[in-house]
mmCIF file of all heavy atoms in Angstrom:
data_model
loop_
_atom_site.group_PDB
_atom_site.id
_atom_site.type_symbol
_atom_site.label_atom_id
_atom_site.label_comp_id
_atom_site.label_asym_id
_atom_site.label_seq_id
_atom_site.Cartn_x
_atom_site.Cartn_y
_atom_site.Cartn_z
ATOM 1 N N LYS A 1 32.334 136.196 -52.969
ATOM 2 C CA LYS A 1 32.476 135.005 -53.813
ATOM 3 C C LYS A 1 33.240 135.319 -55.088
ATOM 4 O O LYS A 1 34.153 134.588 -55.483
ATOM 5 C CB LYS A 1 31.093 134.429 -54.141
ATOM 6 C CG LYS A 1 31.150 133.133 -54.926
ATOM 7 C CD LYS A 1 29.762 132.562 -55.162
ATOM 8 C CE LYS A 1 29.820 131.257 -55.947
ATOM 9 N NZ LYS A 1 28.462 130.699 -56.195
ATOM 10 N N ASP A 2 32.864 136.381 -55.774
ATOM 11 C CA ASP A 2 33.542 136.804 -57.013
ATOM 12 C C ASP A 2 33.997 138.250 -56.836
ATOM 13 O O ASP A 2 33.315 139.182 -57.264
ATOM 14 C CB ASP A 2 32.605 136.683 -58.220
ATOM 15 C CG ASP A 2 32.197 135.258 -58.497
ATOM 16 O OD1 ASP A 2 33.094 134.408 -58.615
ATOM 17 O OD2 ASP A 2 30.977 134.992 -58.578
ATOM 18 N N PRO A 3 35.146 138.442 -56.190
ATOM 19 C CA PRO A 3 35.577 139.809 -55.870
ATOM 20 C C PRO A 3 35.816 140.656 -57.122
ATOM 21 O O PRO A 3 36.281 140.171 -58.154
ATOM 22 C CB PRO A 3 36.872 139.594 -55.091
ATOM 23 C CG PRO A 3 37.352 138.237 -55.485
ATOM 24 C CD PRO A 3 36.125 137.431 -55.744
ATOM 25 N N ILE A 4 35.491 141.934 -56.996
ATOM 26 C CA ILE A 4 35.669 142.886 -58.095
ATOM 27 C C ILE A 4 37.143 143.226 -58.246
ATOM 28 O O ILE A 4 37.830 143.527 -57.272
ATOM 29 C CB ILE A 4 34.876 144.182 -57.821
ATOM 30 C CG1 ILE A 4 33.382 143.888 -57.693
ATOM 31 C CG2 ILE A 4 35.132 145.217 -58.922
ATOM 32 C CD1 ILE A 4 32.580 145.072 -57.183
ATOM 33 N N GLU A 5 37.627 143.189 -59.489
ATOM 34 C CA GLU A 5 38.968 143.657 -59.797
ATOM 35 C C GLU A 5 38.893 144.954 -60.579
ATOM 36 O O GLU A 5 39.534 145.934 -60.246
ATOM 37 C CB GLU A 5 39.743 142.598 -60.582
ATOM 38 C CG GLU A 5 41.165 142.996 -60.903
ATOM 39 C CD GLU A 5 41.893 141.913 -61.689
ATOM 40 O OE1 GLU A 5 42.320 140.922 -61.089
ATOM 41 O OE2 GLU A 5 42.018 142.094 -62.929
ATOM 42 N N GLY A 6 38.103 144.973 -61.639
ATOM 43 C CA GLY A 6 37.834 146.202 -62.379
ATOM 44 C C GLY A 6 39.020 146.765 -63.133
ATOM 45 O O GLY A 6 39.160 147.986 -63.234
ATOM 46 N N ARG A 7 39.875 145.900 -63.684
ATOM 47 C CA ARG A 7 41.064 146.391 -64.383
ATOM 48 C C ARG A 7 40.703 147.109 -65.684
ATOM 49 O O ARG A 7 41.205 148.202 -65.968
ATOM 50 C CB ARG A 7 42.021 145.235 -64.671
ATOM 51 C CG ARG A 7 43.282 145.661 -65.430
ATOM 52 C CD ARG A 7 44.233 144.493 -65.647
ATOM 53 N NE ARG A 7 45.339 144.841 -66.513
ATOM 54 C CZ ARG A 7 46.466 145.423 -66.115
ATOM 55 N NH1 ARG A 7 46.618 145.736 -64.835
ATOM 56 N NH2 ARG A 7 47.437 145.694 -66.959
ATOM 57 N N GLU A 8 39.819 146.515 -66.464
ATOM 58 C CA GLU A 8 39.505 147.091 -67.772
ATOM 59 C C GLU A 8 38.878 148.473 -67.650
ATOM 60 O O GLU A 8 39.288 149.424 -68.319
ATOM 61 C CB GLU A 8 38.561 146.155 -68.542
ATOM 62 C CG GLU A 8 38.262 146.616 -69.958
ATOM 63 C CD GLU A 8 37.411 145.622 -70.730
ATOM 64 O OE1 GLU A 8 37.304 144.454 -70.298
ATOM 65 O OE2 GLU A 8 36.857 146.008 -71.779
ATOM 66 N N ILE A 9 37.879 148.601 -66.776
ATOM 67 C CA ILE A 9 37.224 149.906 -66.636
ATOM 68 C C ILE A 9 38.179 150.924 -66.032
ATOM 69 O O ILE A 9 38.187 152.100 -66.419
ATOM 70 C CB ILE A 9 35.930 149.791 -65.789
ATOM 71 C CG1 ILE A 9 35.203 151.141 -65.792
ATOM 72 C CG2 ILE A 9 36.223 149.327 -64.371
ATOM 73 C CD1 ILE A 9 33.834 151.089 -65.149
ATOM 74 N N TYR A 10 39.021 150.460 -65.109
ATOM 75 C CA TYR A 10 39.954 151.390 -64.469
ATOM 76 C C TYR A 10 40.942 151.953 -65.486
ATOM 77 O O TYR A 10 41.171 153.175 -65.535
ATOM 78 C CB TYR A 10 40.715 150.694 -63.335
ATOM 79 C CG TYR A 10 41.653 151.620 -62.605
ATOM 80 C CD1 TYR A 10 41.163 152.515 -61.665
ATOM 81 C CD2 TYR A 10 43.028 151.623 -62.875
ATOM 82 C CE1 TYR A 10 42.022 153.386 -61.002
ATOM 83 C CE2 TYR A 10 43.883 152.490 -62.214
ATOM 84 C CZ TYR A 10 43.371 153.372 -61.280
ATOM 85 O OH TYR A 10 44.214 154.231 -60.641
ATOM 86 N N LEU A 11 41.533 151.096 -66.291
ATOM 87 C CA LEU A 11 42.500 151.566 -67.285
ATOM 88 C C LEU A 11 41.839 152.508 -68.293
ATOM 89 O O LEU A 11 42.459 153.475 -68.761
ATOM 90 C CB LEU A 11 43.149 150.381 -67.996
ATOM 91 C CG LEU A 11 44.085 149.521 -67.145
ATOM 92 C CD1 LEU A 11 44.657 148.375 -67.966
ATOM 93 C CD2 LEU A 11 45.220 150.358 -66.545
ATOM 94 N N SER A 12 40.586 152.249 -68.613
ATOM 95 C CA SER A 12 39.886 153.138 -69.550
ATOM 96 C C SER A 12 39.673 154.520 -68.943
ATOM 97 O O SER A 12 39.678 155.532 -69.650
ATOM 98 C CB SER A 12 38.539 152.532 -69.965
ATOM 99 O OG SER A 12 37.601 152.570 -68.898
ATOM 100 N N LYS A 13 39.501 154.576 -67.617
ATOM 101 C CA LYS A 13 39.266 155.862 -66.950
ATOM 102 C C LYS A 13 40.548 156.685 -66.814
ATOM 103 O O LYS A 13 40.498 157.918 -66.852
ATOM 104 C CB LYS A 13 38.659 155.636 -65.567
ATOM 105 C CG LYS A 13 37.265 155.011 -65.582
ATOM 106 C CD LYS A 13 36.246 155.914 -66.241
ATOM 107 C CE LYS A 13 34.850 155.311 -66.155
ATOM 108 N NZ LYS A 13 33.825 156.171 -66.809
ATOM 109 N N ILE A 14 41.693 156.024 -66.642
ATOM 110 C CA ILE A 14 42.945 156.784 -66.475
ATOM 111 C C ILE A 14 43.700 156.935 -67.789
ATOM 112 O O ILE A 14 44.751 157.590 -67.824
ATOM 113 C CB ILE A 14 43.859 156.143 -65.410
ATOM 114 C CG1 ILE A 14 44.340 154.763 -65.850
ATOM 115 C CG2 ILE A 14 43.166 156.078 -64.056
ATOM 116 C CD1 ILE A 14 45.453 154.200 -64.965
ATOM 117 N N ASP A 15 43.211 156.354 -68.860
ATOM 118 C CA ASP A 15 43.853 156.502 -70.164
ATOM 119 C C ASP A 15 43.910 157.987 -70.536
ATOM 120 O O ASP A 15 42.891 158.671 -70.552
ATOM 121 C CB ASP A 15 43.070 155.722 -71.225
ATOM 122 C CG ASP A 15 43.815 155.626 -72.551
ATOM 123 O OD1 ASP A 15 45.038 155.885 -72.576
ATOM 124 O OD2 ASP A 15 43.165 155.292 -73.566
ATOM 125 N N GLY A 16 45.097 158.510 -70.792
ATOM 126 C CA GLY A 16 45.256 159.912 -71.157
ATOM 127 C C GLY A 16 45.501 160.840 -69.989
ATOM 128 O O GLY A 16 45.711 162.054 -70.193
ATOM 129 N N ILE A 17 45.512 160.332 -68.754
ATOM 130 C CA ILE A 17 45.756 161.182 -67.603
ATOM 131 C C ILE A 17 47.175 161.747 -67.670
ATOM 132 O O ILE A 17 48.099 161.089 -68.157
ATOM 133 C CB ILE A 17 45.547 160.377 -66.291
ATOM 134 C CG1 ILE A 17 45.546 161.294 -65.062
ATOM 135 C CG2 ILE A 17 46.617 159.316 -66.129
ATOM 136 C CD1 ILE A 17 45.196 160.571 -63.776
ATOM 137 N N ILE A 18 47.352 162.982 -67.211
ATOM 138 C CA ILE A 18 48.686 163.584 -67.193
ATOM 139 C C ILE A 18 49.583 162.781 -66.269
ATOM 140 O O ILE A 18 49.202 162.429 -65.152
ATOM 141 C CB ILE A 18 48.621 165.054 -66.748
ATOM 142 C CG1 ILE A 18 47.966 165.906 -67.848
ATOM 143 C CG2 ILE A 18 50.022 165.600 -66.435
ATOM 144 C CD1 ILE A 18 47.822 167.369 -67.477
ATOM 145 N N TYR A 19 50.789 162.506 -66.734
ATOM 146 C CA TYR A 19 51.780 161.776 -65.956
ATOM 147 C C TYR A 19 52.941 162.707 -65.671
ATOM 148 O O TYR A 19 53.529 163.292 -66.580
ATOM 149 C CB TYR A 19 52.266 160.538 -66.723
ATOM 150 C CG TYR A 19 53.243 159.689 -65.942
ATOM 151 C CD1 TYR A 19 52.791 158.698 -65.084
ATOM 152 C CD2 TYR A 19 54.619 159.891 -66.053
ATOM 153 C CE1 TYR A 19 53.683 157.919 -64.360
ATOM 154 C CE2 TYR A 19 55.516 159.121 -65.336
ATOM 155 C CZ TYR A 19 55.041 158.138 -64.492
ATOM 156 O OH TYR A 19 55.912 157.365 -63.769
ATOM 157 N N GLY A 20 53.300 162.864 -64.421
ATOM 158 C CA GLY A 20 54.368 163.791 -64.066
ATOM 159 C C GLY A 20 53.844 165.212 -63.985
ATOM 160 O O GLY A 20 52.692 165.451 -63.629
ATOM 161 N N ASP A 21 54.690 166.175 -64.320
ATOM 162 C CA ASP A 21 54.336 167.583 -64.159
ATOM 163 C C ASP A 21 53.263 168.018 -65.142
ATOM 164 O O ASP A 21 53.185 167.525 -66.274
ATOM 165 C CB ASP A 21 55.577 168.458 -64.361
ATOM 166 C CG ASP A 21 56.667 168.168 -63.343
ATOM 167 O OD1 ASP A 21 56.331 167.721 -62.228
ATOM 168 O OD2 ASP A 21 57.853 168.392 -63.662
ATOM 169 N N SER A 22 52.445 168.979 -64.706
ATOM 170 C CA SER A 22 51.413 169.562 -65.564
ATOM 171 C C SER A 22 51.886 170.919 -66.074
ATOM 172 O O SER A 22 52.832 171.501 -65.525
ATOM 173 C CB SER A 22 50.111 169.734 -64.776
ATOM 174 O OG SER A 22 50.250 170.767 -63.809
ATOM 175 N N PRO A 23 51.236 171.472 -67.115
ATOM 176 C CA PRO A 23 51.658 172.774 -67.647
ATOM 177 C C PRO A 23 51.648 173.880 -66.593
ATOM 178 O O PRO A 23 52.537 174.734 -66.579
ATOM 179 C CB PRO A 23 50.634 173.051 -68.753
ATOM 180 C CG PRO A 23 50.160 171.697 -69.169
ATOM 181 C CD PRO A 23 50.162 170.862 -67.934
ATOM 182 N N ALA A 24 50.669 173.874 -65.699
ATOM 183 C CA ALA A 24 50.578 174.914 -64.681
ATOM 184 C C ALA A 24 51.702 174.816 -63.659
ATOM 185 O O ALA A 24 52.040 175.799 -63.003
ATOM 186 C CB ALA A 24 49.227 174.845 -63.975
ATOM 187 N N GLN A 25 52.297 173.631 -63.529
ATOM 188 C CA GLN A 25 53.369 173.423 -62.559
ATOM 189 C C GLN A 25 54.750 173.587 -63.170
ATOM 190 O O GLN A 25 55.739 173.703 -62.435
ATOM 191 C CB GLN A 25 53.246 172.011 -61.961
ATOM 192 C CG GLN A 25 51.951 171.797 -61.184
ATOM 193 C CD GLN A 25 51.605 170.330 -61.017
ATOM 194 O OE1 GLN A 25 52.155 169.472 -61.716
ATOM 195 N NE2 GLN A 25 50.693 170.039 -60.111
ATOM 196 N N GLY A 26 54.824 173.606 -64.505
ATOM 197 C CA GLY A 26 56.115 173.607 -65.171
ATOM 198 C C GLY A 26 56.693 172.206 -65.216
ATOM 199 O O GLY A 26 56.198 171.291 -64.548
ATOM 200 N N TYR A 27 57.739 172.014 -66.025
ATOM 201 C CA TYR A 27 58.287 170.680 -66.252
ATOM 202 C C TYR A 27 59.739 170.592 -65.779
ATOM 203 O O TYR A 27 60.588 171.369 -66.204
ATOM 204 C CB TYR A 27 58.248 170.325 -67.740
ATOM 205 C CG TYR A 27 56.877 170.443 -68.366
ATOM 206 C CD1 TYR A 27 56.660 171.314 -69.432
ATOM 207 C CD2 TYR A 27 55.806 169.687 -67.899
ATOM 208 C CE1 TYR A 27 55.402 171.429 -70.018
ATOM 209 C CE2 TYR A 27 54.554 169.801 -68.476
ATOM 210 C CZ TYR A 27 54.359 170.679 -69.530
ATOM 211 O OH TYR A 27 53.114 170.783 -70.094
ATOM 212 N N ALA A 28 60.001 169.644 -64.892
ATOM 213 C CA ALA A 28 61.371 169.335 -64.481
ATOM 214 C C ALA A 28 61.788 168.080 -65.230
ATOM 215 O O ALA A 28 61.345 166.981 -64.913
ATOM 216 C CB ALA A 28 61.441 169.126 -62.975
ATOM 217 N N ARG A 29 62.635 168.243 -66.228
ATOM 218 C CA ARG A 29 63.062 167.134 -67.066
ATOM 219 C C ARG A 29 64.574 167.161 -67.195
ATOM 220 O O ARG A 29 65.140 168.092 -67.753
ATOM 221 C CB ARG A 29 62.376 167.199 -68.434
ATOM 222 C CG ARG A 29 60.863 167.029 -68.322
ATOM 223 C CD ARG A 29 60.133 167.192 -69.621
ATOM 224 N NE ARG A 29 58.698 166.991 -69.422
ATOM 225 C CZ ARG A 29 57.772 167.203 -70.354
ATOM 226 N NH1 ARG A 29 58.139 167.650 -71.561
ATOM 227 N NH2 ARG A 29 56.491 166.984 -70.088
ATOM 228 N N GLY A 30 65.180 166.096 -66.666
ATOM 229 C CA GLY A 30 66.628 166.068 -66.622
ATOM 230 C C GLY A 30 67.136 167.161 -65.705
ATOM 231 O O GLY A 30 66.726 167.271 -64.559
ATOM 232 N N ARG A 31 68.006 168.025 -66.241
ATOM 233 C CA ARG A 31 68.546 169.138 -65.459
ATOM 234 C C ARG A 31 67.896 170.467 -65.824
ATOM 235 O O ARG A 31 68.323 171.522 -65.371
ATOM 236 C CB ARG A 31 70.057 169.228 -65.653
ATOM 237 C CG ARG A 31 70.810 168.033 -65.094
ATOM 238 C CD ARG A 31 72.332 168.218 -65.156
ATOM 239 N NE ARG A 31 72.839 168.218 -66.534
ATOM 240 C CZ ARG A 31 73.380 169.266 -67.135
ATOM 241 N NH1 ARG A 31 73.495 170.418 -66.488
ATOM 242 N NH2 ARG A 31 73.831 169.175 -68.372
ATOM 243 N N VAL A 32 66.821 170.412 -66.641
ATOM 244 C CA VAL A 32 66.179 171.635 -67.120
ATOM 245 C C VAL A 32 64.782 171.768 -66.533
ATOM 246 O O VAL A 32 63.996 170.814 -66.540
ATOM 247 C CB VAL A 32 66.090 171.638 -68.659
ATOM 248 C CG1 VAL A 32 65.315 172.862 -69.153
ATOM 249 C CG2 VAL A 32 67.481 171.609 -69.281
ATOM 250 N N PHE A 33 64.489 172.968 -66.013
ATOM 251 C CA PHE A 33 63.128 173.293 -65.615
ATOM 252 C C PHE A 33 62.587 174.326 -66.588
ATOM 253 O O PHE A 33 63.202 175.377 -66.805
ATOM 254 C CB PHE A 33 63.070 173.851 -64.192
ATOM 255 C CG PHE A 33 61.671 174.212 -63.773
ATOM 256 C CD1 PHE A 33 60.777 173.231 -63.378
ATOM 257 C CD2 PHE A 33 61.243 175.536 -63.790
ATOM 258 C CE1 PHE A 33 59.485 173.545 -63.013
ATOM 259 C CE2 PHE A 33 59.949 175.866 -63.425
ATOM 260 C CZ PHE A 33 59.069 174.872 -63.034
ATOM 261 N N SER A 34 61.411 174.031 -67.173
ATOM 262 C CA SER A 34 60.773 174.935 -68.130
ATOM 263 C C SER A 34 59.329 175.159 -67.705
ATOM 264 O O SER A 34 58.640 174.217 -67.295
ATOM 265 C CB SER A 34 60.788 174.343 -69.546
ATOM 266 O OG SER A 34 62.096 174.025 -69.956
ATOM 267 N N HIS A 35 58.882 176.396 -67.815
ATOM 268 C CA HIS A 35 57.498 176.722 -67.461
ATOM 269 C C HIS A 35 56.800 177.316 -68.679
ATOM 270 O O HIS A 35 57.047 178.459 -69.051
ATOM 271 C CB HIS A 35 57.461 177.704 -66.297
ATOM 272 C CG HIS A 35 56.181 177.638 -65.527
ATOM 273 N ND1 HIS A 35 54.949 177.880 -66.104
ATOM 274 C CD2 HIS A 35 55.933 177.315 -64.228
ATOM 275 C CE1 HIS A 35 54.002 177.746 -65.183
ATOM 276 N NE2 HIS A 35 54.567 177.385 -64.042
ATOM 277 N N PRO A 36 55.902 176.539 -69.333
ATOM 278 C CA PRO A 36 55.285 177.026 -70.564
ATOM 279 C C PRO A 36 54.330 178.195 -70.357
ATOM 280 O O PRO A 36 54.145 179.007 -71.266
ATOM 281 C CB PRO A 36 54.540 175.788 -71.088
ATOM 282 C CG PRO A 36 54.277 174.948 -69.868
ATOM 283 C CD PRO A 36 55.459 175.183 -68.981
ATOM 284 N N GLU A 37 53.707 178.289 -69.188
ATOM 285 C CA GLU A 37 52.748 179.367 -68.964
ATOM 286 C C GLU A 37 53.445 180.660 -68.544
ATOM 287 O O GLU A 37 53.056 181.749 -68.962
ATOM 288 C CB GLU A 37 51.721 178.938 -67.917
ATOM 289 C CG GLU A 37 50.843 177.783 -68.387
ATOM 290 C CD GLU A 37 49.736 177.435 -67.408
ATOM 291 O OE1 GLU A 37 49.624 178.107 -66.355
ATOM 292 O OE2 GLU A 37 48.974 176.491 -67.685
ATOM 293 N N LEU A 38 54.479 180.551 -67.728
ATOM 294 C CA LEU A 38 55.243 181.735 -67.324
ATOM 295 C C LEU A 38 56.384 182.034 -68.286
ATOM 296 O O LEU A 38 57.028 183.091 -68.186
ATOM 297 C CB LEU A 38 55.794 181.542 -65.908
ATOM 298 C CG LEU A 38 54.736 181.349 -64.815
ATOM 299 C CD1 LEU A 38 55.404 181.113 -63.462
ATOM 300 C CD2 LEU A 38 53.804 182.547 -64.743
ATOM 301 N N ARG A 39 56.669 181.094 -69.172
ATOM 302 C CA ARG A 39 57.608 181.259 -70.287
ATOM 303 C C ARG A 39 59.030 181.608 -69.830
ATOM 304 O O ARG A 39 59.578 182.655 -70.161
ATOM 305 C CB ARG A 39 57.085 182.303 -71.280
ATOM 306 C CG ARG A 39 55.906 181.805 -72.093
ATOM 307 C CD ARG A 39 55.384 182.819 -73.075
ATOM 308 N NE ARG A 39 56.417 183.319 -73.973
ATOM 309 C CZ ARG A 39 56.210 184.264 -74.888
ATOM 310 N NH1 ARG A 39 55.006 184.803 -75.006
ATOM 311 N NH2 ARG A 39 57.198 184.662 -75.671
ATOM 312 N N PHE A 40 59.620 180.679 -69.085
ATOM 313 C CA PHE A 40 61.033 180.788 -68.747
ATOM 314 C C PHE A 40 61.597 179.390 -68.570
ATOM 315 O O PHE A 40 60.866 178.406 -68.456
ATOM 316 C CB PHE A 40 61.256 181.630 -67.478
ATOM 317 C CG PHE A 40 60.756 180.984 -66.211
ATOM 318 C CD1 PHE A 40 61.514 180.037 -65.529
ATOM 319 C CD2 PHE A 40 59.524 181.327 -65.686
ATOM 320 C CE1 PHE A 40 61.056 179.437 -64.369
ATOM 321 C CE2 PHE A 40 59.053 180.731 -64.525
ATOM 322 C CZ PHE A 40 59.816 179.788 -63.863
ATOM 323 N N ARG A 41 62.921 179.308 -68.559
ATOM 324 C CA ARG A 41 63.599 178.040 -68.313
ATOM 325 C C ARG A 41 64.954 178.312 -67.690
ATOM 326 O O ARG A 41 65.524 179.389 -67.822
ATOM 327 C CB ARG A 41 63.764 177.219 -69.601
ATOM 328 C CG ARG A 41 64.446 177.940 -70.751
ATOM 329 C CD ARG A 41 65.852 177.509 -71.030
ATOM 330 N NE ARG A 41 66.039 176.138 -71.360
ATOM 331 C CZ ARG A 41 67.202 175.518 -71.293
ATOM 332 N NH1 ARG A 41 68.265 176.199 -70.857
ATOM 333 N NH2 ARG A 41 67.352 174.267 -71.639
ATOM 334 N N PHE A 42 65.455 177.325 -66.956
ATOM 335 C CA PHE A 42 66.819 177.384 -66.432
ATOM 336 C C PHE A 42 67.341 175.965 -66.309
ATOM 337 O O PHE A 42 66.582 174.994 -66.360
ATOM 338 C CB PHE A 42 66.904 178.132 -65.093
ATOM 339 C CG PHE A 42 66.171 177.477 -63.960
ATOM 340 C CD1 PHE A 42 66.752 176.465 -63.198
ATOM 341 C CD2 PHE A 42 64.892 177.893 -63.624
ATOM 342 C CE1 PHE A 42 66.075 175.872 -62.151
ATOM 343 C CE2 PHE A 42 64.197 177.306 -62.571
ATOM 344 C CZ PHE A 42 64.792 176.292 -61.830
ATOM 345 N N GLU A 43 68.654 175.867 -66.163
ATOM 346 C CA GLU A 43 69.311 174.558 -66.092
ATOM 347 C C GLU A 43 70.242 174.524 -64.894
ATOM 348 O O GLU A 43 70.953 175.487 -64.618
ATOM 349 C CB GLU A 43 70.095 174.320 -67.387
ATOM 350 C CG GLU A 43 70.748 172.950 -67.494
ATOM 351 C CD GLU A 43 71.364 172.720 -68.863
ATOM 352 O OE1 GLU A 43 71.032 173.483 -69.801
ATOM 353 O OE2 GLU A 43 72.181 171.783 -68.999
ATOM 354 N N VAL A 44 70.222 173.405 -64.170
ATOM 355 C CA VAL A 44 71.115 173.254 -63.020
ATOM 356 C C VAL A 44 72.381 172.533 -63.469
ATOM 357 O O VAL A 44 72.388 171.849 -64.503
ATOM 358 C CB VAL A 44 70.425 172.492 -61.867
ATOM 359 C CG1 VAL A 44 69.258 173.305 -61.324
ATOM 360 C CG2 VAL A 44 69.968 171.111 -62.305
ATOM 361 N N PRO A 45 73.473 172.666 -62.732
ATOM 362 C CA PRO A 45 74.754 172.084 -63.151
ATOM 363 C C PRO A 45 74.734 170.555 -63.175
ATOM 364 O O PRO A 45 73.845 169.902 -62.614
ATOM 365 C CB PRO A 45 75.744 172.605 -62.099
ATOM 366 C CG PRO A 45 75.106 173.818 -61.528
ATOM 367 C CD PRO A 45 73.636 173.529 -61.541
ATOM 368 N N GLN A 46 75.756 170.000 -63.820
ATOM 369 C CA GLN A 46 75.953 168.552 -63.845
ATOM 370 C C GLN A 46 76.007 168.009 -62.417
ATOM 371 O O GLN A 46 76.564 168.632 -61.520
ATOM 372 C CB GLN A 46 77.276 168.216 -64.551
ATOM 373 C CG GLN A 46 77.269 168.433 -66.046
ATOM 374 C CD GLN A 46 76.609 167.276 -66.800
ATOM 375 O OE1 GLN A 46 76.223 166.286 -66.202
ATOM 376 N NE2 GLN A 46 76.502 167.409 -68.111
ATOM 377 N N GLY A 47 75.412 166.834 -62.243
ATOM 378 C CA GLY A 47 75.428 166.201 -60.932
ATOM 379 C C GLY A 47 74.233 166.538 -60.061
ATOM 380 O O GLY A 47 74.060 165.954 -58.989
ATOM 381 N N PHE A 48 73.376 167.483 -60.506
ATOM 382 C CA PHE A 48 72.171 167.850 -59.762
ATOM 383 C C PHE A 48 70.947 167.239 -60.438
ATOM 384 O O PHE A 48 70.896 167.112 -61.664
ATOM 385 C CB PHE A 48 71.998 169.368 -59.692
ATOM 386 C CG PHE A 48 72.866 170.040 -58.671
ATOM 387 C CD1 PHE A 48 74.211 170.295 -58.943
ATOM 388 C CD2 PHE A 48 72.346 170.409 -57.442
ATOM 389 C CE1 PHE A 48 75.016 170.912 -58.004
ATOM 390 C CE2 PHE A 48 73.157 171.033 -56.493
ATOM 391 C CZ PHE A 48 74.489 171.287 -56.777
#
């Protein structure tokens, strides 16, 4: 009769969740991959 939607509680639960890559996985942003825990980075050429 009154189906559950639960938007407000759901958004409160995912507020602050990591979006995209995590520190343990390293970050692929644009053409640069950086790994904060292993402490290295490299860049791929234009067009990749």
